[in-house]
Amino acid sequence: MCLSIPSKVVKIDKENNMATVDTMGVKRDASLDLMAEDDVKVGDYVLLHIGFIMNKIDEEDAMLSLETYKEIIEAMDEEERQRTILEDDNCVNRGV
Amino acid sequence: MQLELKNLYNDFRDAKTIKAYAKIIQEDAKKLNKEIHIMEVCGGHTHTIMKYGVLQLLPQNIKFVHGPGCPVCIMPKERIDHAYVLAMQSDVILVTLGDMIKVPGSNGSLQDARSKGADVRFVYSPMDCLKIASENPDKKIIFFAIGFETTTPMTAALLNAVINKNIPNIFFHINHVTVPEAMAALIADDASNIDAFLGPAHVSVISGSKIYEEFPRDYKKTVVVSGFEPVDVMQSISMIVKQFIENRCELEVEYKRAVSYEGNSKAQELINKYFEKAQNFRWRGLGDIPRSGLRLRDEYDALNAEVLYKDILPTQKIDDHKLCICGDILRGKATPPQCTIFGTACKPTTPIGSCMVSSEGACAAYYKYGNLI
Ligand code: SF4
C-alpha cells in the first residue's frame, strides 16, 4: 500500500491540475493536488502514490547516494584486488 | 552523469552494493558490545527485508523486529464490521483501497459481503470515487479511508474535491492512523525490546522527518528514515550500527532524495483542514493507543458516514482469534513461524489474522519468502 513508484513527468495539464508521468515505460495520469503551484515541471522525477504525485525526488541527493555506492564498491574491489595479489604471492602451487 | 529513471530503479537494488553494505555492517557489528534490535515500523520495509533476504545478510547481533506499519494489518475487526454493515445497505457502494477487501471481520470480509450481493469496489486512487459517484447518482458512495500519513492527504484531496464540486453522494468513513503515537506506545511496552527504528519512507515524505525528533531526545531511541529499496535499507542499517559504535543516538535520514525535515507542507495543510486527532484508535493486535487516529472535524459531519449511520453501526469491541499472535508479532515479541497455525490454518488464501492478509503484513511476507529463511 505504501510503495510509491519513482516516475518522470512528461506532461502537465494545468487546467485540471494533472500530470502525465512515465513509470518505466508505462504512462499514467496523476493528480497535482498535493503539490504547490508550479512546483512540478516536465522532466522532474516524482514519487507517485495512489494516483497522486506526493513529492519530487531530489536529483542531486539521488546522484550523491549513487556516487557513494560507486565509491564503496570501488573501495571493496580494490581491497579484493590487493587480497588476490597477496594470496597469489602466497600460493604454494607457484610455478606448477 | 545524468540521472535517469532506470538509475532510480536499478541502482538502488544493485546486488553488488547490497553485498558491499553487508560487508561493512558485518565488520562494524564486531565492535558492538550488545545485540541491537531494530524495528522496521513500516510494512513496505518488511516486504523489502523479506524479499531481498536482508536478514540472512546480517550478523547474529543485529536483529529485526517487524513493526505495525501495514494499514490493513492494524484494522480492528469492529472497523471492518462497520464497512461490512455499510456495504450491505442496498443504496450504498462501498469503496476502499488495496487488500482491505480480504480482511476478515466478525461477519466475514468485504469480499464475503460482495458475494452476498453488496456493491464493494476496490480502487487504485481515492479520486476514482468521483467517477463512481457520477455514474451512480442514485447511490451513496462511501469511501472507507485507510492508511497512515502517506494516504491521509489523498483522502483530504478527495474531500476537497467533493466540497468544491458540490458532489452530493460521496461520504467518508475515516480510519487513518498516525505513526509516532504507535511508536511511542511500542516503546512504552517494556517487553518490546527496541533499540532503534527504521523510519518509514513515505509517511516521512508527507510528514517530514521532524515527527521523529522526540524519539532520540525523549526515549533514547535511534531513528534512521529509510527508503524502500534494498540498498536504502542496507545503508540505513549501516547508519544505525555506526551510531551505536560511535555512541550516538540521533535522528538521521538516509532517504534524503525524497524526505525533508518539513515534509510536504501542502499535504499537511490539507490534512489539518479536514482532520483532527481522535481521542483513541484501537489497533488490531496492539489495542487502544490514545490520539493515534484521525477523525473528520465536526464541521464535516454531513459527510461523515460514522455520524450518518450511527444507529446501525456496531459498537462492541471484538477480540482477535484466540490462536492468532499478530499482537505479539507487531510488538516484536514473536515471529510468524511461532504461531501454531502459521501456514496451516492461516495462509494468504484463508487468512485468520490480519498480518496474513496484506502483502506488507509480516505473516504474509514470511509465508511468501519463507523459503529464504
Ligand atoms: S499466521 Fe495468521 S493467525 Fe498466526 S499470527 Fe499470523 S496472521 Fe495471526
Side-chain angles (χ1 to χ4, degrees):
Chain A
M1 147 127 325
C2 291
L3 296 178
S4 315
I5 318 168
S7 307
K8 189 170 188 166
V9 177
V10 293
K11 209 178 96 193
I12 294 204
D13 165 7
K14 265 201 143 185
E15 199 178 319
N16 295 305
N17 208 29
M18 298 287 287
T20 307
V21 301
D22 170 0
T23 314
M24 290 303 270
V26 182
K27 296 244 180 349
R28 48 179 141 194
D29 295 332
S31 166
L32 285 167
D33 286 359
L34 302 183
M35 303 302 291
E37 222 186 308
D38 295 329
D39 191 14
V40 178
K41 296 182 185 60
V42 170
D44 282 350
Y45 295 100
V46 293
L47 283 178
L48 183 64
H49 189 56
I50 56 169
F52 288 79
I53 288 175
M54 63 179 209
N55 76 335
K56 290 203 289 191
I57 297 174
D58 188 306
E59 275 188 58
E60 221 168 282
D61 274 316
M63 296 291 285
L64 224 61
S65 297
L66 297 180
E67 264 158 42
T68 312
Y69 302 155
K70 227 168 86 197
E71 279 164 23
I72 288 176
I73 290 178
E74 271 163 18
M76 205 170 71
D77 285 350
E78 174 61 15
E79 210 179 283
E80 225 149 68
R81 200 172 62 89
Q82 286 188 4
R83 191 174 329 114
T84 326
I85 294 170
L86 290 178
E87 272 169 15
D88 192 54
D89 282 350
N90 295 328
C91 181
V92 284
N93 293 332
R94 184 171 308 283
V96 177
Chain B
M1 168 181 154
Q2 171 99 29
L3 187 69
E4 287 177 42
L5 201 49
K6 65 176 195 305
N7 299 124
L8 292 173
Y9 281 83
N10 301 341
D11 293 0
F12 289 94
R13 290 180 191 174
D14 177 54
K16 230 175 159 191
T17 316
I18 296 173
K19 260 200 229 133
Y21 270 111
K23 208 166 153 214
I24 295 172
I25 294 168
Q26 294 274 359
E27 282 306 311
D28 283 347
K30 290 182 190 152
K31 295 176 216 148
L32 288 172
N33 49 17
K34 61 167 199 151
E35 256 188 17
I36 52 176
H37 297 251
I38 305 172
M39 172 175 272
E40 89 276 13
V41 182
C42 171
H45 284 139
T46 310
H47 193 90
T48 302
I49 288 167
M50 299 308 295
K51 182 169 174 186
Y52 293 93
V54 167
L55 300 182
Q56 289 85 292
L57 298 173
L58 297 180
Q60 285 295 327
N61 55 353
I62 299 176
K63 296 271 191 300
F64 260 92
V65 178
H66 310 299
C70 150
V72 172
C73 306
I74 57 92
M75 197 61 63
K77 277 191 183 164
E78 52 264 34
R79 306 297 290 180
I80 296 160
D81 288 352
H82 276 195
Y84 190 97
V85 168
L86 293 171
M88 292 307 277
Q89 303 304 305
S90 57
D91 61 343
V92 164
I93 300 176
L94 190 99
V95 181
T96 190
L97 300 175
D99 300 321
M100 200 59 231
I101 203 153
K102 288 187 277 175
V103 193
S106 50
N107 304 313
S109 65
L110 288 171
Q111 214 158 21
D112 297 326
R114 184 139 88 173
S115 65
K116 287 189 188 138
D119 195 343
V120 179
R121 302 193 192 180
F122 148 69
V123 292
Y124 161 66
S125 167
M127 285 302 190
D128 296 341
C129 289
L130 296 172
K131 188 159 172 260
I132 298 175
S134 74
E135 285 168 359
N136 299 276
D138 51 338
K139 294 272 170 132
K140 298 190 173 79
I141 318 304
I142 300 181
F143 181 58
F144 189 77
I146 60 166
F148 290 90
E149 289 88 335
T150 329
T151 50
T152 315
M154 290 75 171
T155 303
L158 177 62
L159 273 153
N160 222 22
V162 166
I163 291 169
N164 292 343
K165 295 182 184 165
N166 260 320
I167 294 166
N169 59 335
I170 298 183
F171 305 91
F172 294 80
H173 188 289
I174 300 298
N175 302 277
H176 286 300
V177 286
T178 51
V179 163
E181 287 74 12
M183 284 169 65
L186 283 162
I187 294 172
D189 182 351
D190 287 340
S192 64
N193 207 4
I194 303 162
D195 301 303
F197 288 99
L198 205 62
H202 296 137
V203 162
S204 315
V205 165
I206 299 294
S207 300
S209 61
K210 62 178 185 220
I211 61 169
Y212 312 109
E213 270 199 316
E214 59 184 304
F215 295 99
R217 190 189 59 215
D218 303 342
Y219 302 99
K220 298 283 168 279
K221 306 287 178 195
T222 291
V223 179
V224 174
V225 176
S226 171
F228 276 137
E229 300 296 347
V231 170
D232 290 317
V233 170
M234 294 303 284
Q235 187 185 355
S236 301
I237 297 169
S238 172
M239 287 165 76
I240 291 174
V241 173
K242 286 219 176 355
Q243 286 205 21
F244 278 85
I245 54 183
E246 287 163 15
N247 243 324
R248 289 182 289 124
C249 178
E250 292 164 16
L251 164 62
E252 288 184 291
V253 179
E254 178 276 335
Y255 195 32
K256 283 214 178 90
R257 63 187 184 280
V259 172
S260 65
Y261 179 77
E262 288 298 338
N264 180 334
S265 48
K266 174 103 185 274
Q268 291 168 29
E269 266 165 40
L270 267 175
I271 295 175
N272 291 333
K273 177 167 175 202
Y274 292 106
F275 300 109
E276 63 185 10
K277 290 263 173 206
Q279 250 175 12
N280 188 45
F281 190 89
R282 188 163 185 256
W283 296 51
R284 195 163 185 159
L286 296 180
D288 293 312
I289 305 180
R291 301 177 63 75
S292 65
L294 297 178
R295 63 182 297 277
L296 263 181
R297 291 184 183 279
D298 287 341
E299 59 247 60
Y300 306 108
D301 269 358
L303 297 174
N304 189 341
E306 265 187 276
V307 173
L308 300 171
Y309 289 90
K310 184 163 93 257
D311 298 336
I312 59 163
L313 293 177
T315 51
Q316 73 273 28
K317 294 181 176 179
I318 302 149
D319 288 325
D320 292 329
H321 192 284
K322 277 198 309 299
L323 292 173
C324 177
I325 57 164
C326 271
D328 286 343
I329 294 171
L330 297 179
R331 281 193 195 85
K333 291 186 203 165
T335 53
Q338 285 169 268
C339 171
T340 51
I341 49 175
F342 171 78
T344 53
C346 184
K347 321 189 239 273
T349 42
T350 51
I352 305 264
S354 48
C355 304
M356 189 58 96
V357 174
S358 161
S359 59
E360 290 173 25
C363 293
Y366 270 72
Y367 187 89
K368 186 159 178 207
Y369 302 112
N371 57 343
L372 297 171
I373 301 168

